[in-house]
Amino acid sequence: VVDDSITVREVQKQILKGRGYDVEVAVDGADGWNKVRADKFDLVVSDVDMPRMTGLQFVRRIRDDSKLRDLPVVIVSYKDREEDRLRGLEAGASHYLTKGSFHDESFVDAVAALIGPA
């Protein structure tokens, strides 16, 4: 879970842990980038607006890396316009959710659809 908001990170972490997933957190895109290169992950959940490296830059780096390009990425963002969603998907996100309409089930359903149940 990559998000510069500690509150959002912890909520997402707790939802996923509550469903049996192992969860690591990163404080921004640069921290997330360092972590995905150093360890093996089944999925990344990322915000868009973060310091040092945005979520879109982060997703593009993952897609450009031959070892990581198939790693599923779910973007969860406050940006809820269709053009924002399309930008996220064009950057390479596997799924795009908005925080404004964020519900535990839709988030967990998206994760499970990409990597299966915990």
Side-chain angles (χ1 to χ4, degrees), residues 24-76:
E24 297 250 351
V25 295
V27 299
D28 60 28
D31 187 29
W33 176 240
N34 290 333
K35 288 186 178 193
V36 297
R37 288 183 303 146
D39 207 346
K40 182 175 179 346
F41 295 94
D42 297 318
L43 175 103
V44 169
V45 176
S46 179
D47 186 18
V48 171
D49 292 323
M50 296 181 288
R52 299 195 309 154
M53 182 187 301
T54 70
L56 298 181
Q57 292 168 325
F58 178 45
V59 172
R60 285 187 192 105
R61 282 200 179 178
I62 289 171
R63 294 297 172 246
D64 288 343
D65 187 289
S66 62
K67 294 177 184 162
L68 299 172
R69 72 172 38 119
D70 295 326
L71 180 65
V73 179
V74 176
I75 288 180
V76 182

